[in-house]
Amino acid sequence: MDAIMNSSRIIPAVAVPEGAGVTVYRTIGTPVLRDYDPFLLLDHISSNNPDDYSAGFPAHPHRGFTTFTYIINGHMAHQDNMGNSGDLGPGTAQWMKAASGVIHSEMPKQENGLLRGFQLWINLPAANKMDHPEYQEYSAEAFPVVENPDYTLKVLIGRFADTQAPIVDNLTEVTYFDVQVKPGKGFQHHLPIDNNSLLYVFEGDGKLNEQIVPLHSLVTLNTDDHSFNFIAGKKGARLIVISGKPIHEPIARYGPFVMNTREQIDQAMQDFQTNNFVRDRAWIKRDH
C-alpha cells in the first residue's frame, strides 16, 4: 500500500467469487481493508464474459445495513421475499435498507454483453439495525448531472454544490458521485470534515498529488485540509467518489449479517435457519 497524502492509501481491487460464482472486484471487505466506517463492502462488477456473471446472486439474506446498487451497463433483475421485483438497467440504481431483514436475489437479465456496476454496503447505527426494511429504485433520469469544462458528474446520493440527488441518507450523510474527467483535466473536491471518503478509478487512470492511481484502484482520502485534486491521464478517467460519516460502533459480521455483537449475529443465523428471519412484514417501497 502506497502513501499518497497523510494516512491515505491506494488499495488495488481483488477479484473474488461471489453469489453463485460471479466474479467481482472488491476493495472494501478484504483483509487489506475490512471496513471503512460507515462502509462495509465495495464490489465492482465489470465483464463482457457471461461466464463471469450469468450465475447471478440467487436468494440470500441481509440484516443490519443498507445496500446501494448502481448499474452502469447491462440489466439485473431484483426480486425479494415481499413480492417486489424490478429491472435495473443502464444508469439506474437501487437503495435497499435491509435493516431487520430482507431475503432477495439479483440475477442478470442478459445472456451476453457487458455487465458493469457497483454495490456498496453502508452500515446502520445500532439504533436502526432492526428498523423496517425500505426499498427504492431510481431511473437513470432521476439523477442530476453537473456539466463542467473539465468533467461531467452524476450526483447519485447527497449533494454536490447546489445540485441535490434524489437519495438522501440522514443517518450517515453519504455522498456518492460518478465523475468522468476529460483527458489531462482535473477534478477538485472539498470533503466533509470528519467523514471517511474514497475514490475508485474504473476507467483510465490519473494522478493524486503526483502519485499515479491505476485502473481498478481505491484511494482512501484522509487529508488534513479535507480536499483533493485528481488529474486524469491521457485517455481520461472515470471514478466514483464516496464519503460518509463514521458511526464509531462495534462491528460484528458474518457473511450477509452485520450487527454489533456476536450474540446478535447468532440470533440472525438462528432466525434465518428457523424461517423467522423476516420479523416484521412491514415493507416500505418507494418508486422514483
Side-chain angles (χ1 to χ4, degrees):
M1 293 175 288
D2 301 309
I4 294 182
M5 43 189 167
N6 306 319
S7 58
S8 297
R9 297 183 293 172
I10 293 179
I11 299 170
V14 178
V16 298
E18 192 54 85
V22 178
T23 299
V24 299
Y25 298 91
R26 182 166 296 166
T27 45
I28 303 175
T30 69
V32 175
L33 187 63
R34 292 191 180 278
D35 57 75
Y36 190 47
D37 191 7
F39 308 116
L40 302 164
L41 178 143
L42 179 62
D43 279 351
H44 174 214
I45 184 169
S46 180
S47 181
N48 281 295
N49 183 356
D51 291 340
D52 289 338
Y53 60 74
S54 60
F57 306 90
H60 57 280
H62 288 310
R63 176 178 283 181
F65 58 96
T66 294
T67 67
F68 178 67
T69 304
Y70 173 41
I71 298 297
I72 298 170
N73 303 97
H75 289 266
M76 291 283 282
H78 162 86
Q79 191 170 13
D80 63 55
N81 58 300
M82 303 295 186
N84 297 305
S85 61
D87 177 17
L88 295 178
T92 65
Q94 180 197 78
W95 174 273
M96 188 178 72
K97 181 180 175 184
S100 60
V102 169
I103 300 173
H104 77 139
S105 64
E106 297 151 308
M107 301 298 292
K109 287 192 68 178
Q110 61 193 66
E111 295 182 356
N112 51 60
L114 177 62
L115 181 62
R116 189 166 64 145
F118 291 91
Q119 185 167 97
L120 176 70
W121 290 12
I122 307 165
N123 201 11
L124 286 169
N128 302 99
K129 283 187 176 294
M130 296 302 288
D131 283 357
H132 297 319
E134 296 187 25
Y135 159 67
Q136 304 171 55
E137 286 190 1
Y138 298 84
S139 66
E141 295 73 25
F143 299 106
V145 175
V146 176
E147 296 284 353
N148 182 284
D150 294 343
Y151 60 83
T152 300
L153 183 149
K154 179 184 288 188
V155 189
L156 295 161
I157 306 175
R159 178 181 292 274
F160 178 81
D162 296 328
T163 303
Q164 178 67 55
I167 305 175
V168 177
D169 175 21
N170 293 321
L171 296 176
T172 48
E173 301 175 10
V174 171
T175 58
Y176 189 127
F177 312 136
D178 177 352
V179 188
Q180 193 154 6
V181 188
K182 297 178 181 179
K185 301 298 184 179
F187 172 63
Q188 297 180 341
H189 185 54
H190 189 78
L191 302 165
I193 295 175
D194 297 328
N195 273 22
N196 279 335
S197 306
L198 63 94
L199 64 81
Y200 178 89
V201 177
F202 65 99
E203 288 183 14
D205 57 20
K207 289 185 177 181
L208 205 60
N209 284 17
E210 300 306 314
Q211 178 92 28
I212 294 176
V213 182
L215 179 67
H216 295 164
S217 295
L218 179 145
V219 184
T220 60
L221 298 171
N222 298 324
T223 63
D224 287 339
D225 60 359
H226 307 288
S227 63
F228 71 90
N229 184 21
F230 178 88
I231 306 297
K234 294 181 179 180
K235 295 183 179 180
R238 191 171 177 184
L239 53 149
I240 54 172
V241 179
I242 304 172
S243 182
K245 184 178 179 180
I247 297 172
H248 298 303
E249 293 178 349
I251 294 175
R253 64 191 296 171
Y254 182 79
F257 310 131
V258 183
M259 304 300 288
N260 299 104
T261 68
R262 180 63 204 188
E263 290 75 18
Q264 292 170 337
I265 292 293
D266 291 342
Q267 184 64 57
M269 294 175 63
Q270 181 180 339
D271 290 344
F272 183 64
Q273 292 166 357
T274 59
N275 295 321
N276 293 313
F277 185 69
V278 182
R279 295 184 171 188
D280 196 326
R281 292 289 169 175
W283 176 255
I284 303 170
K285 179 183 178 185
R286 301 186 179 99
D287 292 309
H288 297 264

